[in-house]
Amino acid sequence: MEGTGRPGFGEVLRGHRRAAHLTLEQLAEVSGVSARTLSDMERGRSKGPQARTVTALADALKLDDSDRERLSDLARDGRLRDHWGRGGLCELPRIVEDFTGRAEELIWLSELVYAESSPGVGVVGLITGSAGLGKTTFAVRAAHTVRPSFPDGVLFLDLFGMSQRPVTAGDALRQLLRALGVADRQVPADLQERASLYRSSLRDKRVLVVLDNAASEEQVRPLLPGGGTMRALITTRRLLAGLEGVRRLVLGPLQVPESTELLTGIFGERSAHDEVSTLTRLAELCGGLPLALRIIGNRLLSRPDWDAAQLAARLADEGRRLEQFKAGDLKIATAFGLSYEQLADSARQVFRSLAVVPGRDFDAALTAVAGGTPITDAWDALDELVDLGLLQDSSGGRYRFHDLVRLFARDRLLKEESETGRRALAERVTTWLLRMATLSGRWFEPGYGRPDRPDPQLPVPSSAEEADAWLRVNVDNWLGAMRAAAATGRHSPVLDCAESMHWFSDRWLHSPHWQEVFTMGAEAAAALGDPAQQATQLNYLAWVHSVPPGDPEAVLRYATEARELATRCDATAQIAWAHEYTADALLMLGRHDEAVVSSSRAAEIFQAIGDIDSYVQSNAAITRCLYGDGRYAEALERYLDLLAVLDDPGSGMTPSVVVHSRPLALLRIGSCLRHLGRRTEAITALVEGIELVDRLRASDYRQADALETLASLLADEGRTDESHRAYGRAAQVFASIGDTEASSRCRASVTATT
């Protein structure tokens, strides 16, 4: 093999021996490995000793985990190279009998076989994907499947792209030429001449060359066909974006049904003894990685007395899951480790630092914070991680781990960073996420918006739309940061974040996160000894439970607790809000008269303290009680008065509150007009209200109800096409907020009016 400048097993072993100040004889004595064998290893005659020998040497030399792992990797490379060098004929490996799935991918390969090539440009298929996805297994299976289409042969060559010393292009060409019958003495020394001989030898042959585990474009370019009937198939963890004119296939994880089928195939007769639900759970925990599935399958198959359900329970523990994926010489962490070792030191640091990100995905800004690096360097690291399959990228500049790769990153973080460093990293990420979420949330509070003095450490949103988008797409991250801060007693930033979500939460009414957000806020206020803020957060919780379908008993419970706390600390506004939420609960319970009394009490308090915004909202709630009691004419009159206040520039109301309240008033007016039989006016009010809600991007049950009402009115008017569109939109909004029954009802209405 041509050298790469990287030390082999023998050189590294000699370095450790000398560092330990041992002679060959002394190392032989303490390790139990003969001096002659040690000499052969150090001189490169024995490149790949067995694992037990490496363990004995590592123990004798007292190597740390990192050096021990490196020595084991070099020995494994040596064993593989010895096998590779003896093969000689590039024979295609045997197939895996229980191969499962990949039907669409096999079709892709069939199309590759019969694709027409352009003059001078060979047909090349490139299969990419992260570690453990079964790229080699798939390529071998596919090559066996299409073998009859290549009467002149199928050649297979492992390029050792993930080893510390990948096969050079020159060595690969020599091996391929030998397989094609070219004698060693006829192989040119010059790389370009060697590549030319290779292509000319294949010009008129129908041959498939499988180049497995490629390292780089430079390595494979000389091995590609120059046209004709030859086909090349390359597998690699890297994207090899520099290769031009190739047909690309990105291999992804198996779906759960395929994963379960693969486990069943591995188990054979044993599968009859295991519950289908258990096999499905095991498949889910393997994350669709064929290597992980094979490891788990082999572990159970080799231990007939093991219980599959118990292994599933062990895998469910994230702290121990990664170590469960090992069977004999198969180990999932080793597969990931080969990619990790290819990274630059800076990218390794970013990779393991990203393990502390709470959510499932992240962007370059958060990557820069986690890695403690400038944003430009973060982009470079992300590109490198994606290129090696350690991260998956998606639209919108978001990145994510495969679940098992995340656990590997966490393992690297534990082993390569000090406890102090890990704590500092977690605090840095948590603090940044809380500050960013709080800043974004305050965009929607009256009197806030874009700060006059932006924090230079935060990518400040330039508009409410940007703030809204950031909060939604990063909800798992900032919510995870709230949990982490709460768990470590950082109550002030938790409370600040929860409070900042008050106005934004009304834009994302049906988000499932608000109960947890405001519960943490209430607990933080209690820990800080701030009863007024605790009452505020409890009132927010009452609001959460008032959103349809609603839980009136929970609303009453939180509102009562809030009122009692607010009364003790004289938090007048929160006393009023507790009365208002109590009215909401009473209205849901059908106790309309009591609801009017409670809302009226709230309105009196708001008027007394000069809170015109809340006073108007309380009056709207009183009107809603009248509407709920079927008093539509009275309700309409009050809603029209409310609309006049909202349209009055001198009302004293906060403009942002007016913008949010006006469409809701129009929707209520439209509903009242419908019940009063004033169909044309109702349609006009509903259309205007729905258009305003659309501008706010605040789809919720109020918009869905209005759309369904509008659709019914349009149908009554004979405007069938418009009615169908409105029913369709109503069905979509209902589905988006989880009301499948209402969504189905709207779709059925379209059918009924067709």
PDB file of all heavy atoms in Angstrom, residues 643 659-670 681-696 698 702-703 706-707 710 729:
ATOM      1  N   LEU A 643     -67.528  47.602  19.164  1.00  0.00           N
ATOM      2  CA  LEU A 643     -66.835  47.892  17.913  1.00  0.00           C
ATOM      3  C   LEU A 643     -66.620  49.401  17.762  1.00  0.00           C
ATOM      4  O   LEU A 643     -65.565  49.839  17.275  1.00  0.00           O
ATOM      5  CB  LEU A 643     -67.642  47.350  16.734  1.00  0.00           C
ATOM      6  CG  LEU A 643     -66.963  47.414  15.360  1.00  0.00           C
ATOM      7  CD1 LEU A 643     -65.690  46.570  15.346  1.00  0.00           C
ATOM      8  CD2 LEU A 643     -67.924  46.937  14.271  1.00  0.00           C
ATOM      9  N   VAL A 659     -56.089  46.021  17.682  1.00  0.00           N
ATOM     10  CA  VAL A 659     -55.840  45.185  16.500  1.00  0.00           C
ATOM     11  C   VAL A 659     -56.255  43.746  16.765  1.00  0.00           C
ATOM     12  O   VAL A 659     -56.812  43.081  15.884  1.00  0.00           O
ATOM     13  CB  VAL A 659     -54.347  45.260  16.105  1.00  0.00           C
ATOM     14  CG1 VAL A 659     -54.006  44.188  15.069  1.00  0.00           C
ATOM     15  CG2 VAL A 659     -54.006  46.640  15.565  1.00  0.00           C
ATOM     16  N   HIS A 660     -56.012  43.257  17.957  1.00  0.00           N
ATOM     17  CA  HIS A 660     -56.348  41.870  18.279  1.00  0.00           C
ATOM     18  C   HIS A 660     -57.846  41.698  18.574  1.00  0.00           C
ATOM     19  O   HIS A 660     -58.429  40.653  18.265  1.00  0.00           O
ATOM     20  CB  HIS A 660     -55.533  41.413  19.502  1.00  0.00           C
ATOM     21  CG  HIS A 660     -55.617  39.944  19.755  1.00  0.00           C
ATOM     22  ND1 HIS A 660     -54.862  39.016  19.073  1.00  0.00           N
ATOM     23  CD2 HIS A 660     -56.384  39.229  20.620  1.00  0.00           C
ATOM     24  CE1 HIS A 660     -55.151  37.800  19.496  1.00  0.00           C
ATOM     25  NE2 HIS A 660     -56.064  37.903  20.433  1.00  0.00           N
ATOM     26  N   SER A 661     -58.458  42.716  19.150  1.00  0.00           N
ATOM     27  CA  SER A 661     -59.853  42.591  19.602  1.00  0.00           C
ATOM     28  C   SER A 661     -60.863  42.839  18.490  1.00  0.00           C
ATOM     29  O   SER A 661     -61.961  42.254  18.498  1.00  0.00           O
ATOM     30  CB  SER A 661     -60.123  43.581  20.749  1.00  0.00           C
ATOM     31  OG  SER A 661     -59.269  43.326  21.843  1.00  0.00           O
ATOM     32  N   ARG A 662     -60.524  43.705  17.537  1.00  0.00           N
ATOM     33  CA  ARG A 662     -61.504  44.090  16.513  1.00  0.00           C
ATOM     34  C   ARG A 662     -62.009  42.897  15.692  1.00  0.00           C
ATOM     35  O   ARG A 662     -63.222  42.757  15.497  1.00  0.00           O
ATOM     36  CB  ARG A 662     -60.911  45.162  15.601  1.00  0.00           C
ATOM     37  CG  ARG A 662     -61.943  45.831  14.712  1.00  0.00           C
ATOM     38  CD  ARG A 662     -61.359  47.023  13.958  1.00  0.00           C
ATOM     39  NE  ARG A 662     -62.417  47.739  13.273  1.00  0.00           N
ATOM     40  CZ  ARG A 662     -62.944  47.364  12.108  1.00  0.00           C
ATOM     41  NH1 ARG A 662     -62.483  46.285  11.510  1.00  0.00           N
ATOM     42  NH2 ARG A 662     -63.918  48.064  11.562  1.00  0.00           N
ATOM     43  N   PRO A 663     -61.128  42.014  15.187  1.00  0.00           N
ATOM     44  CA  PRO A 663     -61.658  40.884  14.408  1.00  0.00           C
ATOM     45  C   PRO A 663     -62.555  39.970  15.229  1.00  0.00           C
ATOM     46  O   PRO A 663     -63.551  39.442  14.714  1.00  0.00           O
ATOM     47  CB  PRO A 663     -60.399  40.150  13.935  1.00  0.00           C
ATOM     48  CG  PRO A 663     -59.299  40.634  14.801  1.00  0.00           C
ATOM     49  CD  PRO A 663     -59.654  42.027  15.178  1.00  0.00           C
ATOM     50  N   LEU A 664     -62.256  39.814  16.514  1.00  0.00           N
ATOM     51  CA  LEU A 664     -63.087  38.950  17.358  1.00  0.00           C
ATOM     52  C   LEU A 664     -64.478  39.559  17.544  1.00  0.00           C
ATOM     53  O   LEU A 664     -65.491  38.845  17.558  1.00  0.00           O
ATOM     54  CB  LEU A 664     -62.416  38.726  18.713  1.00  0.00           C
ATOM     55  CG  LEU A 664     -61.013  38.081  18.654  1.00  0.00           C
ATOM     56  CD1 LEU A 664     -60.462  37.885  20.057  1.00  0.00           C
ATOM     57  CD2 LEU A 664     -61.065  36.759  17.909  1.00  0.00           C
ATOM     58  N   ALA A 665     -64.515  40.892  17.678  1.00  0.00           N
ATOM     59  CA  ALA A 665     -65.814  41.562  17.790  1.00  0.00           C
ATOM     60  C   ALA A 665     -66.627  41.373  16.519  1.00  0.00           C
ATOM     61  O   ALA A 665     -67.842  41.101  16.563  1.00  0.00           O
ATOM     62  CB  ALA A 665     -65.606  43.050  18.076  1.00  0.00           C
ATOM     63  N   LEU A 666     -65.979  41.469  15.361  1.00  0.00           N
ATOM     64  CA  LEU A 666     -66.682  41.271  14.092  1.00  0.00           C
ATOM     65  C   LEU A 666     -67.218  39.847  13.960  1.00  0.00           C
ATOM     66  O   LEU A 666     -68.326  39.634  13.448  1.00  0.00           O
ATOM     67  CB  LEU A 666     -65.745  41.587  12.923  1.00  0.00           C
ATOM     68  CG  LEU A 666     -65.466  43.076  12.676  1.00  0.00           C
ATOM     69  CD1 LEU A 666     -64.277  43.255  11.743  1.00  0.00           C
ATOM     70  CD2 LEU A 666     -66.724  43.753  12.090  1.00  0.00           C
ATOM     71  N   LEU A 667     -66.432  38.867  14.403  1.00  0.00           N
ATOM     72  CA  LEU A 667     -66.902  37.482  14.335  1.00  0.00           C
ATOM     73  C   LEU A 667     -68.128  37.279  15.224  1.00  0.00           C
ATOM     74  O   LEU A 667     -69.085  36.588  14.831  1.00  0.00           O
ATOM     75  CB  LEU A 667     -65.782  36.517  14.756  1.00  0.00           C
ATOM     76  CG  LEU A 667     -64.523  36.505  13.878  1.00  0.00           C
ATOM     77  CD1 LEU A 667     -63.534  35.462  14.388  1.00  0.00           C
ATOM     78  CD2 LEU A 667     -64.863  36.238  12.420  1.00  0.00           C
ATOM     79  N   ARG A 668     -68.129  37.906  16.403  1.00  0.00           N
ATOM     80  CA  ARG A 668     -69.287  37.784  17.304  1.00  0.00           C
ATOM     81  C   ARG A 668     -70.508  38.498  16.708  1.00  0.00           C
ATOM     82  O   ARG A 668     -71.640  38.007  16.815  1.00  0.00           O
ATOM     83  CB  ARG A 668     -68.947  38.394  18.670  1.00  0.00           C
ATOM     84  CG  ARG A 668     -67.955  37.590  19.475  1.00  0.00           C
ATOM     85  CD  ARG A 668     -68.548  36.278  19.928  1.00  0.00           C
ATOM     86  NE  ARG A 668     -67.653  35.546  20.794  1.00  0.00           N
ATOM     87  CZ  ARG A 668     -67.906  34.333  21.273  1.00  0.00           C
ATOM     88  NH1 ARG A 668     -69.044  33.726  20.943  1.00  0.00           N
ATOM     89  NH2 ARG A 668     -67.051  33.731  22.061  1.00  0.00           N
ATOM     90  N   ILE A 669     -70.259  39.643  16.093  1.00  0.00           N
ATOM     91  CA  ILE A 669     -71.367  40.372  15.449  1.00  0.00           C
ATOM     92  C   ILE A 669     -71.970  39.523  14.338  1.00  0.00           C
ATOM     93  O   ILE A 669     -73.204  39.427  14.193  1.00  0.00           O
ATOM     94  CB  ILE A 669     -70.861  41.731  14.904  1.00  0.00           C
ATOM     95  CG1 ILE A 669     -70.582  42.683  16.077  1.00  0.00           C
ATOM     96  CG2 ILE A 669     -71.857  42.344  13.925  1.00  0.00           C
ATOM     97  CD1 ILE A 669     -69.847  43.944  15.677  1.00  0.00           C
ATOM     98  N   GLY A 670     -71.113  38.877  13.548  1.00  0.00           N
ATOM     99  CA  GLY A 670     -71.604  38.022  12.476  1.00  0.00           C
ATOM    100  C   GLY A 670     -72.460  36.884  12.999  1.00  0.00           C
ATOM    101  O   GLY A 670     -73.514  36.547  12.421  1.00  0.00           O
ATOM    102  N   GLU A 681     -75.903  40.641   6.076  1.00  0.00           N
ATOM    103  CA  GLU A 681     -75.051  41.417   6.980  1.00  0.00           C
ATOM    104  C   GLU A 681     -74.101  40.495   7.745  1.00  0.00           C
ATOM    105  O   GLU A 681     -72.936  40.846   8.000  1.00  0.00           O
ATOM    106  CB  GLU A 681     -75.916  42.193   7.967  1.00  0.00           C
ATOM    107  CG  GLU A 681     -76.794  43.264   7.334  1.00  0.00           C
ATOM    108  CD  GLU A 681     -77.774  43.833   8.342  1.00  0.00           C
ATOM    109  OE1 GLU A 681     -77.367  44.744   9.097  1.00  0.00           O
ATOM    110  OE2 GLU A 681     -78.924  43.346   8.405  1.00  0.00           O
ATOM    111  N   ALA A 682     -74.587  39.312   8.111  1.00  0.00           N
ATOM    112  CA  ALA A 682     -73.756  38.354   8.840  1.00  0.00           C
ATOM    113  C   ALA A 682     -72.557  37.935   7.992  1.00  0.00           C
ATOM    114  O   ALA A 682     -71.412  37.865   8.475  1.00  0.00           O
ATOM    115  CB  ALA A 682     -74.580  37.134   9.232  1.00  0.00           C
ATOM    116  N   ILE A 683     -72.808  37.640   6.709  1.00  0.00           N
ATOM    117  CA  ILE A 683     -71.723  37.228   5.808  1.00  0.00           C
ATOM    118  C   ILE A 683     -70.675  38.335   5.704  1.00  0.00           C
ATOM    119  O   ILE A 683     -69.468  38.078   5.780  1.00  0.00           O
ATOM    120  CB  ILE A 683     -72.285  36.865   4.418  1.00  0.00           C
ATOM    121  CG1 ILE A 683     -73.089  35.557   4.506  1.00  0.00           C
ATOM    122  CG2 ILE A 683     -71.163  36.740   3.396  1.00  0.00           C
ATOM    123  CD1 ILE A 683     -73.826  35.200   3.222  1.00  0.00           C
ATOM    124  N   THR A 684     -71.118  39.584   5.567  1.00  0.00           N
ATOM    125  CA  THR A 684     -70.190  40.712   5.452  1.00  0.00           C
ATOM    126  C   THR A 684     -69.304  40.828   6.690  1.00  0.00           C
ATOM    127  O   THR A 684     -68.079  40.992   6.594  1.00  0.00           O
ATOM    128  CB  THR A 684     -70.970  42.019   5.242  1.00  0.00           C
ATOM    129  OG1 THR A 684     -71.750  41.920   4.046  1.00  0.00           O
ATOM    130  CG2 THR A 684     -70.019  43.204   5.142  1.00  0.00           C
ATOM    131  N   ALA A 685     -69.914  40.748   7.880  1.00  0.00           N
ATOM    132  CA  ALA A 685     -69.153  40.865   9.125  1.00  0.00           C
ATOM    133  C   ALA A 685     -68.168  39.711   9.294  1.00  0.00           C
ATOM    134  O   ALA A 685     -67.010  39.903   9.689  1.00  0.00           O
ATOM    135  CB  ALA A 685     -70.109  40.927  10.315  1.00  0.00           C
ATOM    136  N   LEU A 686     -68.622  38.496   8.985  1.00  0.00           N
ATOM    137  CA  LEU A 686     -67.756  37.321   9.142  1.00  0.00           C
ATOM    138  C   LEU A 686     -66.570  37.371   8.181  1.00  0.00           C
ATOM    139  O   LEU A 686     -65.442  37.052   8.563  1.00  0.00           O
ATOM    140  CB  LEU A 686     -68.560  36.037   8.923  1.00  0.00           C
ATOM    141  CG  LEU A 686     -69.556  35.678  10.024  1.00  0.00           C
ATOM    142  CD1 LEU A 686     -70.461  34.530   9.590  1.00  0.00           C
ATOM    143  CD2 LEU A 686     -68.815  35.309  11.317  1.00  0.00           C
ATOM    144  N   VAL A 687     -66.830  37.743   6.935  1.00  0.00           N
ATOM    145  CA  VAL A 687     -65.741  37.815   5.953  1.00  0.00           C
ATOM    146  C   VAL A 687     -64.686  38.817   6.401  1.00  0.00           C
ATOM    147  O   VAL A 687     -63.477  38.547   6.351  1.00  0.00           O
ATOM    148  CB  VAL A 687     -66.285  38.183   4.557  1.00  0.00           C
ATOM    149  CG1 VAL A 687     -65.145  38.564   3.616  1.00  0.00           C
ATOM    150  CG2 VAL A 687     -67.077  37.030   3.971  1.00  0.00           C
ATOM    151  N   GLU A 688     -65.131  40.003   6.872  1.00  0.00           N
ATOM    152  CA  GLU A 688     -64.177  41.024   7.314  1.00  0.00           C
ATOM    153  C   GLU A 688     -63.389  40.533   8.531  1.00  0.00           C
ATOM    154  O   GLU A 688     -62.166  40.697   8.611  1.00  0.00           O
ATOM    155  CB  GLU A 688     -64.907  42.327   7.657  1.00  0.00           C
ATOM    156  CG  GLU A 688     -63.943  43.451   8.035  1.00  0.00           C
ATOM    157  CD  GLU A 688     -64.657  44.743   8.404  1.00  0.00           C
ATOM    158  OE1 GLU A 688     -65.903  44.814   8.251  1.00  0.00           O
ATOM    159  OE2 GLU A 688     -63.958  45.691   8.844  1.00  0.00           O
ATOM    160  N   GLY A 689     -64.092  39.907   9.487  1.00  0.00           N
ATOM    161  CA  GLY A 689     -63.419  39.410  10.683  1.00  0.00           C
ATOM    162  C   GLY A 689     -62.407  38.319  10.374  1.00  0.00           C
ATOM    163  O   GLY A 689     -61.289  38.312  10.911  1.00  0.00           O
ATOM    164  N   ILE A 690     -62.761  37.397   9.481  1.00  0.00           N
ATOM    165  CA  ILE A 690     -61.861  36.296   9.117  1.00  0.00           C
ATOM    166  C   ILE A 690     -60.618  36.832   8.409  1.00  0.00           C
ATOM    167  O   ILE A 690     -59.498  36.369   8.651  1.00  0.00           O
ATOM    168  CB  ILE A 690     -62.600  35.262   8.240  1.00  0.00           C
ATOM    169  CG1 ILE A 690     -63.631  34.509   9.090  1.00  0.00           C
ATOM    170  CG2 ILE A 690     -61.624  34.283   7.604  1.00  0.00           C
ATOM    171  CD1 ILE A 690     -64.616  33.679   8.280  1.00  0.00           C
ATOM    172  N   GLU A 691     -60.801  37.830   7.540  1.00  0.00           N
ATOM    173  CA  GLU A 691     -59.649  38.424   6.849  1.00  0.00           C
ATOM    174  C   GLU A 691     -58.684  39.060   7.848  1.00  0.00           C
ATOM    175  O   GLU A 691     -57.459  38.946   7.711  1.00  0.00           O
ATOM    176  CB  GLU A 691     -60.125  39.471   5.845  1.00  0.00           C
ATOM    177  CG  GLU A 691     -60.792  38.872   4.606  1.00  0.00           C
ATOM    178  CD  GLU A 691     -61.344  39.927   3.670  1.00  0.00           C
ATOM    179  OE1 GLU A 691     -61.369  41.117   4.079  1.00  0.00           O
ATOM    180  OE2 GLU A 691     -61.748  39.586   2.537  1.00  0.00           O
ATOM    181  N   LEU A 692     -59.221  39.717   8.880  1.00  0.00           N
ATOM    182  CA  LEU A 692     -58.363  40.334   9.894  1.00  0.00           C
ATOM    183  C   LEU A 692     -57.638  39.278  10.724  1.00  0.00           C
ATOM    184  O   LEU A 692     -56.465  39.448  11.078  1.00  0.00           O
ATOM    185  CB  LEU A 692     -59.198  41.244  10.804  1.00  0.00           C
ATOM    186  CG  LEU A 692     -59.756  42.517  10.156  1.00  0.00           C
ATOM    187  CD1 LEU A 692     -60.657  43.271  11.126  1.00  0.00           C
ATOM    188  CD2 LEU A 692     -58.607  43.416   9.691  1.00  0.00           C
ATOM    189  N   VAL A 693     -58.320  38.175  11.035  1.00  0.00           N
ATOM    190  CA  VAL A 693     -57.669  37.083  11.770  1.00  0.00           C
ATOM    191  C   VAL A 693     -56.535  36.494  10.933  1.00  0.00           C
ATOM    192  O   VAL A 693     -55.459  36.178  11.445  1.00  0.00           O
ATOM    193  CB  VAL A 693     -58.690  35.988  12.146  1.00  0.00           C
ATOM    194  CG1 VAL A 693     -57.978  34.763  12.725  1.00  0.00           C
ATOM    195  CG2 VAL A 693     -59.691  36.521  13.163  1.00  0.00           C
ATOM    196  N   ASP A 694     -56.774  36.362   9.633  1.00  0.00           N
ATOM    197  CA  ASP A 694     -55.733  35.840   8.744  1.00  0.00           C
ATOM    198  C   ASP A 694     -54.481  36.709   8.801  1.00  0.00           C
ATOM    199  O   ASP A 694     -53.353  36.203   8.794  1.00  0.00           O
ATOM    200  CB  ASP A 694     -56.240  35.770   7.305  1.00  0.00           C
ATOM    201  CG  ASP A 694     -57.236  34.630   7.094  1.00  0.00           C
ATOM    202  OD1 ASP A 694     -57.292  33.732   7.956  1.00  0.00           O
ATOM    203  OD2 ASP A 694     -57.952  34.657   6.075  1.00  0.00           O
ATOM    204  N   ARG A 695     -54.678  38.024   8.848  1.00  0.00           N
ATOM    205  CA  ARG A 695     -53.527  38.926   8.901  1.00  0.00           C
ATOM    206  C   ARG A 695     -52.738  38.748  10.195  1.00  0.00           C
ATOM    207  O   ARG A 695     -51.515  38.918  10.228  1.00  0.00           O
ATOM    208  CB  ARG A 695     -53.990  40.379   8.781  1.00  0.00           C
ATOM    209  CG  ARG A 695     -54.563  40.740   7.415  1.00  0.00           C
ATOM    210  CD  ARG A 695     -55.044  42.193   7.407  1.00  0.00           C
ATOM    211  NE  ARG A 695     -55.932  42.461   6.281  1.00  0.00           N
ATOM    212  CZ  ARG A 695     -56.622  43.586   6.134  1.00  0.00           C
ATOM    213  NH1 ARG A 695     -56.501  44.558   7.042  1.00  0.00           N
ATOM    214  NH2 ARG A 695     -57.421  43.750   5.094  1.00  0.00           N
ATOM    215  N   LEU A 696     -53.456  38.402  11.260  1.00  0.00           N
ATOM    216  CA  LEU A 696     -52.785  38.187  12.550  1.00  0.00           C
ATOM    217  C   LEU A 696     -52.099  36.830  12.630  1.00  0.00           C
ATOM    218  O   LEU A 696     -51.329  36.575  13.555  1.00  0.00           O
ATOM    219  CB  LEU A 696     -53.807  38.286  13.691  1.00  0.00           C
ATOM    220  CG  LEU A 696     -54.401  39.659  13.972  1.00  0.00           C
ATOM    221  CD1 LEU A 696     -55.496  39.554  15.025  1.00  0.00           C
ATOM    222  CD2 LEU A 696     -53.318  40.627  14.432  1.00  0.00           C
ATOM    223  N   ALA A 698     -53.389  34.024  13.422  1.00  0.00           N
ATOM    224  CA  ALA A 698     -53.790  33.482  14.723  1.00  0.00           C
ATOM    225  C   ALA A 698     -54.933  32.490  14.558  1.00  0.00           C
ATOM    226  O   ALA A 698     -56.019  32.666  15.103  1.00  0.00           O
ATOM    227  CB  ALA A 698     -54.205  34.611  15.664  1.00  0.00           C
ATOM    228  N   ARG A 702     -61.867  30.079  17.310  1.00  0.00           N
ATOM    229  CA  ARG A 702     -62.760  31.195  16.967  1.00  0.00           C
ATOM    230  C   ARG A 702     -62.820  31.387  15.455  1.00  0.00           C
ATOM    231  O   ARG A 702     -63.893  31.602  14.889  1.00  0.00           O
ATOM    232  CB  ARG A 702     -62.275  32.475  17.668  1.00  0.00           C
ATOM    233  CG  ARG A 702     -62.365  32.394  19.189  1.00  0.00           C
ATOM    234  CD  ARG A 702     -61.631  33.493  19.902  1.00  0.00           C
ATOM    235  NE  ARG A 702     -60.193  33.464  19.665  1.00  0.00           N
ATOM    236  CZ  ARG A 702     -59.300  34.108  20.429  1.00  0.00           C
ATOM    237  NH1 ARG A 702     -59.702  34.827  21.456  1.00  0.00           N
ATOM    238  NH2 ARG A 702     -58.004  34.039  20.165  1.00  0.00           N
ATOM    239  N   GLN A 703     -61.664  31.307  14.806  1.00  0.00           N
ATOM    240  CA  GLN A 703     -61.632  31.409  13.354  1.00  0.00           C
ATOM    241  C   GLN A 703     -62.334  30.212  12.711  1.00  0.00           C
ATOM    242  O   GLN A 703     -63.094  30.367  11.756  1.00  0.00           O
ATOM    243  CB  GLN A 703     -60.181  31.475  12.859  1.00  0.00           C
ATOM    244  CG  GLN A 703     -60.061  31.637  11.348  1.00  0.00           C
ATOM    245  CD  GLN A 703     -58.648  31.392  10.859  1.00  0.00           C
ATOM    246  OE1 GLN A 703     -57.915  30.616  11.453  1.00  0.00           O
ATOM    247  NE2 GLN A 703     -58.271  32.048   9.771  1.00  0.00           N
ATOM    248  N   ALA A 706     -66.051  30.530  13.008  1.00  0.00           N
ATOM    249  CA  ALA A 706     -66.551  31.566  12.095  1.00  0.00           C
ATOM    250  C   ALA A 706     -66.577  31.066  10.660  1.00  0.00           C
ATOM    251  O   ALA A 706     -67.524  31.341   9.905  1.00  0.00           O
ATOM    252  CB  ALA A 706     -65.682  32.815  12.212  1.00  0.00           C
ATOM    253  N   LEU A 707     -65.552  30.319  10.259  1.00  0.00           N
ATOM    254  CA  LEU A 707     -65.515  29.770   8.899  1.00  0.00           C
ATOM    255  C   LEU A 707     -66.651  28.777   8.670  1.00  0.00           C
ATOM    256  O   LEU A 707     -67.282  28.769   7.602  1.00  0.00           O
ATOM    257  CB  LEU A 707     -64.164  29.090   8.657  1.00  0.00           C
ATOM    258  CG  LEU A 707     -62.989  30.027   8.351  1.00  0.00           C
ATOM    259  CD1 LEU A 707     -61.663  29.292   8.518  1.00  0.00           C
ATOM    260  CD2 LEU A 707     -63.109  30.593   6.938  1.00  0.00           C
ATOM    261  N   LEU A 710     -69.812  30.821   8.372  1.00  0.00           N
ATOM    262  CA  LEU A 710     -69.826  31.488   7.072  1.00  0.00           C
ATOM    263  C   LEU A 710     -70.176  30.496   5.964  1.00  0.00           C
ATOM    264  O   LEU A 710     -70.984  30.808   5.070  1.00  0.00           O
ATOM    265  CB  LEU A 710     -68.462  32.114   6.795  1.00  0.00           C
ATOM    266  CG  LEU A 710     -68.269  32.750   5.413  1.00  0.00           C
ATOM    267  CD1 LEU A 710     -69.239  33.910   5.209  1.00  0.00           C
ATOM    268  CD2 LEU A 710     -66.824  33.224   5.234  1.00  0.00           C
ATOM    269  N   ARG A 729     -61.583  25.275   4.461  1.00  0.00           N
ATOM    270  CA  ARG A 729     -60.675  25.990   5.362  1.00  0.00           C
ATOM    271  C   ARG A 729     -61.007  25.707   6.818  1.00  0.00           C
ATOM    272  O   ARG A 729     -60.124  25.544   7.655  1.00  0.00           O
ATOM    273  CB  ARG A 729     -60.752  27.494   5.098  1.00  0.00           C
ATOM    274  CG  ARG A 729     -59.986  27.952   3.863  1.00  0.00           C
ATOM    275  CD  ARG A 729     -59.650  29.430   3.965  1.00  0.00           C
ATOM    276  NE  ARG A 729     -58.809  29.696   5.117  1.00  0.00           N
ATOM    277  CZ  ARG A 729     -58.695  30.891   5.709  1.00  0.00           C
ATOM    278  NH1 ARG A 729     -59.398  31.924   5.262  1.00  0.00           N
ATOM    279  NH2 ARG A 729     -57.896  31.068   6.740  1.00  0.00           N
TER     280      ARG A 729
END
